[in-house]
Amino acid sequence: MKSTFEKMGGTYTLGADGIYYPNLVSTDEEPHYGKYGMMRKTYLKEHRPVMYSLYMLEDRLTEHLNVVDDEAQERMDILVRQMMEKQGITEELKVRDQMEWVRVVNGIRSRAEEIVLKELVYI
């Protein structure tokens, strides 16, 4: 008679001590997520514990965090570039008045990050 683990496709290996041990191999991919992936993980833990547990049980948490982080980074790049173009922020301004350029770009990054957090991380 097969165990539930075997019915689900699991296998066992006979150890040197005569005991059968389940072959547990994570199918989860390697984590490469950064800031936004960590923020998403914290959000899920604190505000969506059922969803967090489901991702953990299905062994999809790392994959989910990697995807969220990649999408957030890509969205940030696009938004910052578009906002800079719309406001006419150029390299000429950077050369002419570096402090003004830094001020404007930091403001743009802050607004873009608010959008990304609302659209991708805190949902």
Side-chain angles (χ1 to χ4, degrees):
M1 180 172 194
K2 287 187 174 185
S3 68
T4 305
F5 181 68
E6 289 173 309
K7 288 177 186 174
M8 292 173 48
T11 58
Y12 293 93
T13 301
L14 180 62
D17 55 2
I19 298 174
Y20 284 94
Y21 294 96
N23 297 321
L24 301 175
V25 178
S26 176
T27 57
D28 214 4
E29 64 183 74
E30 289 293 318
H32 67 264
Y33 57 86
K35 173 183 177 179
Y36 300 108
M38 288 186 275
M39 292 171 84
R40 176 69 174 164
K41 183 177 182 179
T42 302
Y43 173 75
L44 289 174
K45 272 185 179 179
E46 294 176 1
H47 300 284
R48 302 281 191 257
V50 174
M51 187 182 286
Y52 178 80
S53 296
L54 185 63
Y55 279 128
M56 290 290 286
L57 288 172
E58 293 177 349
D59 201 24
R60 295 184 314 139
L61 181 63
T62 303
E63 175 188 356
H64 173 71
L65 298 176
N66 285 340
V67 168
V68 168
D69 191 75
D70 291 343
E71 288 177 4
Q73 291 288 349
E74 184 178 330
R75 185 81 170 120
M76 274 292 293
D77 293 342
I78 291 169
L79 285 172
V80 168
R81 187 172 6 94
Q82 287 176 345
M83 288 178 178
M84 286 177 71
E85 287 173 8
K86 187 171 183 176
Q87 292 184 20
I89 308 304
T90 62
E91 290 295 316
E92 179 188 325
L93 176 62
K94 187 176 183 181
V95 171
R96 192 177 68 240
D97 189 355
Q98 191 172 19
M99 292 305 290
E100 176 65 14
W101 184 88
V102 169
R103 184 188 66 76
V104 173
V105 171
N106 283 342
I108 288 171
R109 286 187 192 277
S110 294
R111 285 183 301 224
E113 187 167 64
E114 283 183 40
I115 293 168
V116 167
L117 293 176
K118 186 175 180 183
E119 289 180 354
L120 298 172
V121 177
Y122 300 138
I123 57 168

